[in-house]
Amino acid sequence: MPSKPPIFSAKHVSMTFGHGKKICHAVRDVSFDIADGAIVSVVGGSGCGKSVLAKIMLGLYKPTLGNFQYQGHPITNQRDHWNEVQSVFQDPFSCFNQFFTIRSQLKDAFGILKNKPAKSEIDDRVDAALRAVNVQPTEIVGKYPFELSGGQMQRMLLARIFALRPKVLVADEPTSMVDACVRANILDYLMKLKQELGMTIVFVTHDIGLAYYVSDQIFIMHEGRIVESGIPDAVALKPKHPVTIQLIDDIPDIHKDWIKR
Ligand SMILES: Nc1ncnc2c1ncn2[C@@H]1O[C@H](COP(=O)(O)OP(=O)(O)OP(=O)(O)O)[C@@H](O)[C@H]1O
Ligand SMILES: [Mg+2]
C-alpha cells in the first residue's frame, strides 16, 4: 500500500516581501514534512518568520520560491483548503464580529463546511464544544464578544475549532492573552483535540517550554530559517544551536521546571 503523504511538505520554501533595498526575507529556504496527527511547534523570537510560515500553511501566502504541498498537492483553492485547515490567531477579538452574539457566530462558522450538518446537530456540537473548553453553554447565552475577557475569547476560538473539527489546526500564539493557569488549560485543550479528534496541530510560540510540553516535534526558527528541529527531548534537553539555548534561557520562570535537564 502506498504510504500516506505528509499533511504539509515544504521543499526549499522561501517568502520575500518588497524589492531592492527594502526586501524582507521572511522565510528562507525551509524544508520539512509534518506527519498526519502530529503536534508540531514552531518556536522563535519576534520577527523570525513564524506567522508568515503559518500563513503559507493556511494558503494565505503562496511562497515566492520552492514547493509547498498539503497532502501531496499544492494549495490551489483557498475555500477547499479552509474546509480542512483552520486557524486560531493571536488576537481572538479580530476573529469575532462585535455586533453578533458569540453563540450565533459559533453556529454560523459551520457555513464554511462543504457538508453542513443539520440545525439540531449544529446546536449539539456547539454545546459540546463549549463544554470541551470548560464553559457552560448557559454562561454565554446572549453574550457579545465585548462582554468577555481576552482569555475567555481565546477559549471561544478554541470552542469553534472543537465544533468544526478541522483536520488540521494552525494555532499562532493562542496563549498570548491569558495568564499562566489558563494557558496550561489551553494547552490541555490542544492535546485533547489531538487525542479525541486525531487533529494535526501546528503550534506557533515564542516559548520553547510550552512547545516542549505539547509537541511531538519542534522547529526552531531564526531569521527566516529553521535552524534546529527534532523531537522535544532532543531539541529542548540537548540543544545544539545557540538560538535554541537562548530560547531555553528565556523561558518564563513560572514553568521553567517543565524542562528538566
Ligand atoms: N505582509 C508583509 N509585508 C512585508 N513584510 C512582512 C509581511 N508580513 C511579515 N513581514 C515581515 O516578515 C518578517 C517575519 O514576520 P512574522 O510575522 O512571520 O514574524 P513572527 O515570527 O510571527 O513574529 P512575532 O513573534 O512577533 O509574531 C518580519 O520582518 C515582518 O516584518
Ligand atoms: Mg507572529
Side-chain angles (χ1 to χ4, degrees):
M1 220 172 73
S3 62
K4 266 198 195 167
I7 288 289
F8 291 121
S9 166
K11 292 203 169 52
H12 303 293
V13 164
S14 296
M15 181 87 216
T16 52
F17 296 101
H19 305 276
K21 278 189 181 158
K22 287 198 172 158
I23 197 162
C24 168
H25 297 276
V27 174
R28 302 176 194 234
D29 192 20
V30 301
S31 297
F32 57 80
D33 282 341
I34 293 181
D36 196 349
I39 298 191
V40 176
S41 291
V42 180
V43 189
S46 192
C48 71
K50 303 179 301 293
S51 293
V52 171
L53 187 60
K55 286 176 183 166
I56 292 173
M57 293 175 186
L58 290 163
L60 292 169
Y61 291 143
K62 193 173 168 356
T64 327
L65 280 176
N67 188 347
F68 191 80
Q69 295 193 329
Y70 170 66
Q71 292 197 306
H73 300 283
I75 302 164
T76 48
N77 183 319
Q78 266 183 353
R79 222 189 131 80
D80 285 351
H81 191 57
W82 293 342
N83 205 36
E84 299 190 359
V85 181
Q86 289 173 14
S87 61
V88 178
F89 271 114
Q90 265 159 338
D91 174 11
F93 288 99
S94 67
C95 304
F96 282 86
N97 187 322
Q98 298 298 326
F99 299 109
F100 296 94
T101 64
I102 290 158
R103 190 176 180 89
S104 71
Q105 292 185 71
L106 288 174
K107 283 173 25 179
D108 288 349
F110 284 85
I112 199 172
L113 299 185
K114 266 189 197 154
N115 301 316
K116 199 175 157 183
K119 250 186 165 160
S120 60
E121 191 190 330
I122 290 179
D123 269 318
D124 290 348
R125 272 168 68 170
V126 167
D127 285 349
L130 288 167
R131 286 196 198 97
V133 297
N134 288 345
V135 173
Q136 281 312 314
T138 47
E139 280 175 52
I140 61 137
V141 166
K143 288 243 162 108
Y144 291 84
F146 60 83
E147 296 179 281
L148 266 62
S149 70
Q152 284 172 319
M153 283 307 294
Q154 238 151 359
R155 281 196 278 165
M156 291 304 120
L157 274 185
L158 286 168
R160 187 161 77 180
I161 298 299
F162 271 102
L164 296 183
R165 302 176 195 158
K167 194 169 169 49
V168 183
L169 171 64
V170 179
D172 193 345
E173 302 272 10
T175 58
S176 57
M177 288 180 79
V178 296
D179 61 38
C181 176
V182 178
R183 185 175 302 143
N185 275 333
I186 289 183
L187 297 177
D188 289 337
Y189 301 142
L190 288 181
M191 288 196 278
K192 205 162 150 186
L193 283 167
K194 176 189 151 121
Q195 275 154 11
E196 290 180 13
L197 308 174
M199 215 171 268
T200 306
I201 300 175
V202 178
F203 178 59
V204 173
T205 178
H206 287 142
D207 185 338
I208 193 171
L210 298 186
Y212 179 76
Y213 183 67
V214 294
S215 326
D216 299 310
Q217 211 186 346
I218 298 179
F219 298 162
I220 305 292
M221 274 188 93
H222 180 61
E223 294 180 351
R225 297 181 200 281
I226 294 180
V227 294
E228 183 160 3
S229 66
I231 58 167
D233 278 347
V235 174
L237 305 187
K238 296 189 192 88
K240 292 187 190 71
H241 198 281
V243 168
T244 317
I245 294 168
Q246 184 64 50
L247 286 164
I248 292 171
D249 286 344
D250 291 344
I251 296 175
D253 286 341
I254 188 142
H255 56 246
K256 264 219 156 91
D257 59 339
W258 283 2
I259 296 188
K260 293 212 168 56
R261 288 218 263 174

